[in-house]
Structure formats: C-alpha cells, structure tokens
Amino acid sequence: MNYRLAEQITFLLLRHHYVVVPQLGGFIREVLPASYNADKAIAYPPSAELHFNQELTHSDGLLEERYALLLGLSLRRARLVLEEEVKQLRHALIQMGTIELPGIGTLQMSASGVVSFVPQPSSPATLGASYGYTSLTLPSLAQQQMIETAEVARTAPREKGDYILLRFSKRALGYAAAVAFVALSLIPWGRGAESERSYQAGFTPTSYSAEQLFGTATLEEKKPEVVDIPQEQGLQYCSEQDNRYHIIIATEPTKERLESYYKQAVSELGTKDIQAYCSRTGKVIRLSVASFDSSDAAYTFLNSFVKEHPSYSTAWVFRNN
C-alpha cells in the first residue's frame, strides 16, 4: 500500500513543484539552481530537496487523476481508493509513530500530533533536477594559465648553446603590438616648424593676454552637497550552523532577489526579526522568519503561522546543521 502511494507521489513530483496527499499534507520539491564555489573551484549542477508541509491537506486533484489512470477507474472511485490508502497510512503512523515512504523519506508523528519529515538521501524525486550532471572542477582562467605555463616550463627541454630561449604568450605579444602602434601614431612624421610664425601659432597666453581675450570673469566650481543618508539595519545574513529549526518562507539564489522578498515580507508580516541563512554549498540563501530548538515547537509555530498568513502556505521547516 505504502509502496504504490509513494511511487505515484514520486512520479508526480518529477513533473510538479508539489503534490498534496489529502488529509495528510503536501510534499514540496525545492529546486536549487546551479552554482560555483570560487574557493574550491568547483561547479555544482542543479539539484533539488524534498520538504513536507502538514497544512497542505486540500486535494489538488493530481493523485486522484493518477490513480484513475493507473487503475482504470472513474475519478470518483479512484478518490475512494486513495482515501482508503491514506486512512491506513495515518492509522499506521499513529500506532507506530514512524512510517517510511519508499523512495521519498520517513514521516514521524509526535505525541502532540505534529508530523515531521526526514527526506531520503538521493531520492528519485530529486535526482532528475541534476539532469545527469556531476560536480566539475573549473579553475579560473588566470589559474589555468598559470598551471599551463608552469607545466610547459617543467616539461620544456633545456638546450645548451649561445641562444636564450624566451617564451611569450600570444596575449602579451598582442599588447606589445598595440602599444607600438599607438606610439608610432603619436610621432610627428611631417616637416617641423620652419619659421617664427609657425612657433607663434601654438603659444600659451599669459594672464594679461587671457584677460584681454576672455575678460576677468572666472567660473566658480560648484561643489556637490553632502547629504547624510540614514542607514537601516536591513536583513541580517548568517552562515553558521546553529542546529536550530527554522521556518523558511523563501529560497533565492542571489542576495538581490532575496532583499526584494525580504521587503515584501516585512510589509506583510509587520516584523523585522527575519534572518537569511546561506546554504553549505553556497548555492542558495534561505529566508527564515523564526527559529526554535525543537522540531515540535517549530511545526507547532508553522501550523499557526500558515493559518494566520495563508499567502505563506508553502513555508516549511529546515534544520540548520
């Protein structure tokens, strides 16, 4: 029973951003863009992570349509079959406290009825985001040129004789040719001044002659006004792993996009106690509206937060470890 339900959830997550299991919750597939770690000189391909939101219980119709197509039933009868499987899954979860969905992850229910989710590493629902690519070492152009130059110098045979071997890169020769061309273009190749009149044509006027020509009025330099701009505290960025459970409301690859989302969240939520946390790989930055020491407290806050702010129904719990 769990295998068929998990298989269909995986099938739909590969084609949609989230799938709602009626009366249980919603599984969210967060897509992480490709990134580059300059310190390690490693390029990471796109990837994805799975999350669970207990508040997404209203059916979106995806699972019902999939069951109807798979079992060859009408949409009404397929809905009944799905409801029965979800009912059995919830009963097993209440009895044992933990239940595994193959290929997706593990669901855990606390004594207060809060459901948490631990995703399975290398889940089939997330492997498709990398398009079959793997991490690749990509040093910068300057580093690559230094490596190639050092390799050529190391492998070049040492010749004995009266000649000195000099090695120049094509780029250096190009720069030298450009400098030589500019220098030649500035040389006065025509005939020089042959009379006193020729010299007088380019004299520099004295202060007296300048007053006769242009008058005594001078231009005053207008200095720009210095305006003190008050600095706001703004969004706080954190990168340390604090092992706390954070309520994530947004995930963006750049600080510019996250700042715009932060301003919108401040205007809607009326609070500035929002922090940004960079991922370990540096691919994305997550916007946290609150953090807690335990998962029960985090999921309890998430349930009340989503009810109070329906526009943030896709918020989820992330453990920063």
Side-chain angles (χ1 to χ4, degrees):
M1 178 267 298
N2 292 342
Y3 180 79
R4 181 169 66 181
L5 179 60
E7 186 180 31
Q8 303 312 311
I9 294 175
T10 301
F11 178 86
L12 293 173
L13 282 176
L14 290 173
R15 293 158 176 81
H16 304 275
H17 292 291
Y18 65 93
V19 176
V20 177
V21 181
Q23 307 305 319
L24 180 65
F27 291 91
I28 305 170
R29 181 171 64 95
E30 180 190 13
V31 179
L32 306 178
S35 61
Y36 178 73
N37 191 326
D39 297 333
K40 300 180 179 179
I42 298 178
Y44 296 95
S47 60
E49 294 180 357
L50 286 182
H51 310 286
F52 179 78
N53 190 342
Q54 190 177 359
E55 292 299 318
L56 297 176
T57 57
H58 182 70
S59 175
D60 54 4
L62 294 177
L63 273 175
E64 289 88 338
E65 294 179 359
R66 182 61 187 167
Y67 266 64
L69 181 62
L70 181 68
L71 302 177
L73 303 175
S74 63
L75 191 61
R76 185 182 64 84
R77 295 191 62 184
R79 186 180 297 111
L80 295 177
V81 174
L82 176 62
E83 290 177 354
E84 181 62 26
E85 291 190 3
V86 175
K87 181 179 179 182
Q88 296 178 17
L89 176 64
R90 287 184 58 84
H91 180 73
L93 186 61
I94 294 173
Q95 292 294 327
M96 297 183 295
T98 301
I99 193 168
E100 181 182 359
L101 292 176
I104 299 179
T106 304
L107 292 174
Q108 300 175 352
M109 178 175 287
S110 64
S112 59
V114 178
V115 179
S116 59
F117 174 68
V118 179
Q120 175 181 323
S122 301
S123 172
T126 60
L127 292 179
S130 62
Y131 302 100
Y133 299 139
T134 58
S135 301
L136 182 64
T137 302
L138 291 176
S140 62
L141 184 59
Q143 294 177 348
Q144 186 66 23
Q145 290 180 347
M146 293 177 60
I147 294 173
E148 292 178 355
T149 304
E151 182 66 20
V152 170
R154 185 181 66 84
T155 58
R158 297 184 179 179
E159 300 178 358
K160 296 182 179 180
D162 298 333
Y163 298 96
I164 299 177
L165 182 62
L166 299 178
R167 297 181 179 273
F168 297 95
S169 64
K170 295 181 179 180
R171 180 174 297 180
L173 293 176
Y175 289 155
V179 171
F181 177 78
V182 173
L184 292 175
S185 63
L186 296 178
I187 295 178
W189 296 100
R191 297 176 61 185
E194 298 179 355
S195 63
E196 184 180 358
R197 181 176 300 178
S198 301
Y199 286 102
Q200 293 176 353
F203 81 102
T204 302
T206 62
S207 59
Y208 174 75
S209 59
E211 291 180 359
Q212 290 182 339
L213 291 174
F214 307 111
T216 58
T218 59
L219 295 178
E220 297 181 358
E221 182 180 359
K222 185 176 181 181
K223 299 182 179 180
E225 298 180 358
V226 179
V227 181
D228 295 332
I229 302 177
Q231 298 182 354
E232 298 181 356
Q233 183 177 2
L235 180 60
Q236 300 296 320
Y237 289 88
C238 303
S239 58
E240 64 273 7
Q241 315 301 323
D242 53 9
N243 291 322
R244 293 176 62 85
Y245 295 84
H246 294 268
I247 308 301
I248 304 301
I249 60 174
T251 304
E252 297 293 344
T254 60
K255 290 185 178 181
E256 291 75 10
R257 296 178 58 178
L258 197 75
E259 289 284 352
S260 61
Y261 202 100
Y262 164 72
K263 294 178 181 179
Q264 178 183 355
V266 170
S267 62
E268 293 178 357
L269 302 178
T271 178
K272 293 186 178 180
D273 298 332
I274 302 177
Q275 292 183 339
Y277 288 85
C278 302
S279 63
R280 288 176 294 180
T281 59
K283 296 181 180 180
V284 294
I285 311 173
R286 298 184 174 95
L287 198 63
S288 171
V289 72
S291 63
F292 303 89
D293 293 328
S294 63
S295 61
D296 292 346
Y299 279 99
T300 301
F301 175 84
L302 176 63
N303 296 337
S304 59
F305 175 75
V306 172
K307 290 180 181 178
E308 184 178 356
H309 305 282
S311 59
Y312 293 92
S313 59
T314 56
W316 50 279
V317 176
F318 170 72
R319 185 179 183 184
N320 187 23
N321 55 8

